[in-house]
Amino acid sequence: MAKEKKTPFVEYDAAAEAQAAGFDISKYYVNLPMVVIAGRPNVGKSTLFNRFMRRRLAIVDPTPGVTRDPVEATAFIMGKPVNLVDTGGYKLDRDLKSRESEMDELVVQKTLASIKKADKILLLLEAGTITGEDEEFIHLLRPYWDKLIVAVNKCEGGKGEEVAWNYLQYGFKELLFISADHGDHITDLAKKITENLDFSKVEEGEKPEDPIKIAILGKPNTGKSTLSNRLTHSENSIVSDYAGTTRDVVEGKFQYAGKNFEIMDTAGIRRKKKVHENVEYYSVNRAIKTLDKCDVVFLMIDAQEGLADQDKKICSLAYERGRGIIFVLNKWDTQEQSKKVLRDTVDYIKTMFGHMNWAPILPLSALKGEGIKDLLNKTIELYNQLTRKVETSALNKALEDWLFHYPPPATKAIHFKIRYMTQTSTNPVSFRIFCTSPDNVPESYVTYLKNSIRKDLGFDQIPVELNLKPSRKRWENRFDEEE
């Protein structure tokens, strides 16, 4: 497995540059001009996107066709905020009868849709022999000539510039020779991008409250992108029954019931022995990393195919991070519509995931939009549990009640006293119990306390972590002890 190529980034004072341009990188801006990076595969579009973002959002790999779905984010270029979009590469050479060809056509459609909306288009070419894909893509851009910037990449140290001048035969007014990887002439390109862009409508907006972040995970071809598009009322994610369609993590936003949501559509996670390409390796890692950013996981299960081994792995990773988890039975419209079938399916999933029988299980048809309202209502419910904070006084009143109804076992071999309890974090939800001789507390009693927290304190549908810490001080004297 080849190692991911590291792109060097030049350190500079981004805040000072933005301030000089009349903006503040810590503020939230709306009505941004849109800049789209376009070109054939493997010319360095994602590397350039990441350089302007000064962090790695798009996957970079020498394999052509890595980026399929458009990836967009707010970038400060010359200190000015723009909506920057990295698009999939335009491929001409393809087997028209293959499934990959179908995917390539979808990529072209998505790219052209982004280009039509752009305020400026950055056409990225590569120093070297002009290809048929270059020529065809340039032809497609003729209607947008007035908003075109042309840059020739991989010209580090002046390499390939003599040959690159041949691109002028297509009527370009100007060529910029750059190296996205090494940083050559990136400042010149940045100036050209922001030149004549209309920032008059850009204004400071009220930053919305933190969105509920959802990660859609599951094995390939379970309907993740269909659900993402349904929720965002867009076609941000390419949808096909060709497994492995989504490679980057595609982010989208939407509102429901007065709440802001951010959804992350991820690449399908396959079994390791089926992960051959570098691209898919990085995609799977990126998908797993979304678990560190999300609040709630939609684990997509194909109702026609049932559970897979990878579903257990995903659940385990989400559970370890304390994320809310909803089992989404997609394509439920293809099943017999009876309460018994649903009940049997739910019982089967709960049996397979016995340690997570608290996680909601919901039937859905992402294609038809059936069950969406129930899914989002349940998501809000889980988020409210994830962010709930219980006062220490209320916790310890509940603890007294639990200890009264089921006193700790006491023998010569097992002896301990439970002192008091605090909530140590929200999202993920974690509690700590202070007691004497924590090692003597049986696992069964810890399970009883954890179940009591879920049942009585309103955490009945999310993971709850409970830790024990030694203490000989009573609850009343807890402020004398440093936690």
Side-chain angles (χ1 to χ4, degrees):
M1 182 66 65
K3 291 184 178 180
E4 186 174 3
K5 192 175 185 180
K6 299 296 183 182
T7 304
F9 293 93
V10 178
E11 294 293 334
Y12 83 112
D13 193 338
E17 185 180 66
Q19 185 177 18
F23 295 97
D24 185 339
I25 61 172
S26 67
K27 292 183 178 179
Y28 180 81
Y29 294 99
V30 296
N31 305 325
L32 304 182
M34 181 176 179
V35 177
V36 171
I37 305 174
R40 66 172 169 83
N42 206 30
V43 293
K45 296 185 299 298
S46 294
T47 302
L48 183 60
F49 176 86
N50 289 339
R51 179 166 288 280
F52 280 130
M53 291 303 305
R54 296 180 176 85
R55 56 195 175 111
R56 293 172 179 85
L57 294 182
I59 297 174
V60 177
D61 190 271
T63 308
V66 172
T67 301
R68 284 175 168 171
D69 297 289
V71 180
E72 60 181 294
T74 298
F76 280 83
I77 300 179
M78 300 303 296
K80 299 176 180 179
V82 302
N83 181 25
L84 189 65
V85 182
D86 177 24
T87 62
Y90 180 82
K91 291 178 70 175
L92 174 63
D93 299 325
R94 50 187 187 256
D95 180 1
L96 297 179
K97 295 181 181 179
S98 70
R99 301 304 305 279
E100 189 72 22
S101 174
E102 176 187 333
M103 283 303 311
D104 293 335
E105 184 58 35
L106 288 170
V107 170
V108 172
Q109 293 173 11
K110 296 293 297 180
T111 298
L112 292 177
S114 296
I115 284 171
K116 289 177 182 178
K117 297 186 295 182
D119 295 291
K120 277 197 178 180
I121 303 163
L122 174 53
L123 172 60
L124 197 62
L125 303 168
E126 181 180 0
T129 304
I130 299 173
T131 70
E133 288 170 339
D134 290 321
E135 291 186 330
E136 186 167 330
F137 194 59
I138 289 169
H139 176 72
L140 286 175
L141 292 176
R142 291 287 177 188
Y144 315 103
W145 214 248
D146 59 335
K147 53 183 182 181
L148 198 65
I149 300 170
V150 184
V152 183
N153 192 28
K154 305 181 185 179
C155 293
E156 50 270 15
K159 184 178 69 175
E161 287 187 16
E162 290 185 5
V163 178
W165 283 112
N166 290 326
Y167 283 114
L168 286 177
Q169 66 183 286
Y170 298 102
F172 299 132
K173 296 179 181 179
E174 183 180 11
L175 295 177
L176 294 173
F177 301 119
I178 69 165
S179 172
D181 194 31
H182 293 77
D184 295 21
H185 304 296
I186 294 297
T187 300
D188 294 335
L189 177 59
K191 290 178 180 177
K192 183 60 64 173
I193 290 173
T194 54
E195 184 181 284
N196 299 324
L197 263 186
D198 183 9
F199 291 93
S200 63
K201 296 179 182 178
V202 176
E203 59 184 5
E204 184 180 344
E206 182 177 347
K207 190 172 184 178
E209 63 180 15
D210 289 339
I212 300 174
K213 295 183 179 179
I214 302 166
I216 308 182
L217 294 172
K219 67 179 184 178
N221 202 27
T222 52
K224 297 185 295 297
S225 295
T226 301
L227 177 58
S228 176
N229 289 346
R230 169 72 64 175
L231 292 173
T232 58
H233 302 286
S234 72
E235 294 182 358
N236 285 341
S237 298
I238 293 175
V239 176
S240 169
D241 57 3
Y242 179 82
T245 300
T246 301
R247 286 178 170 173
D248 279 302
V249 175
V250 182
E251 299 184 2
K253 298 178 181 179
F254 67 97
Q255 289 186 325
Y256 173 79
K259 300 283 186 180
N260 293 310
F261 290 80
E262 183 177 300
I263 196 152
M264 293 171 280
D265 176 19
T266 66
I269 300 180
R270 309 189 196 202
R271 286 177 294 174
K272 281 188 177 180
K273 68 179 183 180
K274 290 191 176 182
V275 178
H276 302 297
E277 302 176 60
N278 290 349
V279 172
E280 189 165 346
Y281 171 78
Y282 294 131
S283 298
V284 169
N285 280 354
R286 185 90 26 111
I288 291 173
K289 286 179 180 178
T290 62
L291 290 170
D292 294 324
K293 301 196 304 182
C294 73
D295 303 306
V296 178
V297 172
F298 290 173
L299 178 58
M300 300 291 284
I301 300 171
D302 189 325
Q304 297 172 322
E305 299 183 7
L307 291 167
D309 290 339
Q310 283 304 95
D311 294 327
K312 295 181 181 179
K313 177 64 174 176
I314 297 168
C315 266
S316 176
L317 294 170
Y319 179 82
E320 289 171 3
R321 290 162 174 78
R323 304 308 177 203
I325 303 165
I326 300 178
F327 293 100
V328 180
L329 293 172
N330 193 29
K331 307 179 186 179
W332 191 252
D333 54 307
T334 64
Q335 304 300 298
E336 180 185 335
Q337 302 298 299
S338 70
K339 292 182 179 179
K340 182 180 184 307
V341 171
L342 178 59
R343 184 170 59 250
D344 290 346
T345 304
V346 169
D347 288 344
Y348 172 68
I349 292 175
K350 287 188 174 182
T351 300
M352 295 296 292
F353 296 90
H355 66 294
M356 291 177 53
N357 56 14
W358 37 262
I361 305 169
L362 297 178
L364 185 86
S365 172
L367 185 63
K368 295 185 177 179
E370 298 170 354
I372 297 293
K373 185 176 180 181
D374 291 339
L375 178 62
L376 293 179
N377 287 339
K378 183 59 67 175
T379 302
I380 294 173
E381 193 176 334
L382 262 63
Y383 184 75
N384 288 339
Q385 291 194 14
L386 287 166
T387 55
R388 176 176 294 137
K389 176 72 174 177
V390 182
E391 293 293 332
T392 303
S393 57
L395 278 179
N396 286 280
K397 287 180 181 178
L399 180 61
E400 285 182 15
D401 190 54
W402 302 334
L403 297 177
F404 175 78
H405 285 92
Y406 182 15
T411 65
K412 289 184 179 179
I414 301 175
H415 183 74
F416 62 92
K417 285 186 179 181
I418 291 179
R419 297 297 191 186
Y420 64 95
M421 178 170 63
T422 62
Q423 183 174 355
T424 53
S425 71
T426 60
N427 200 14
V429 172
S430 178
F431 295 88
R432 180 178 295 158
I433 285 182
F434 294 85
C435 60
T436 62
S437 306
D439 293 339
N440 287 343
V441 182
E443 189 62 34
S444 60
Y445 201 75
V446 175
T447 300
Y448 161 69
L449 293 173
K450 190 179 292 188
N451 289 338
S452 297
I453 290 172
R454 283 208 177 93
K455 177 184 175 183
D456 296 343
L457 301 181
F459 299 97
D460 60 326
Q461 297 182 85
I462 62 169
V464 171
E465 183 179 2
L466 178 60
N467 298 307
L468 303 182
K469 185 177 180 181
S471 174
R472 296 190 174 278
K473 297 193 176 184
R474 297 181 179 275
W475 173 42
E476 296 89 333
N477 302 322
R478 66 193 184 281
F479 296 113
D480 298 329
E481 179 181 277
E482 291 207 4
E483 298 180 13

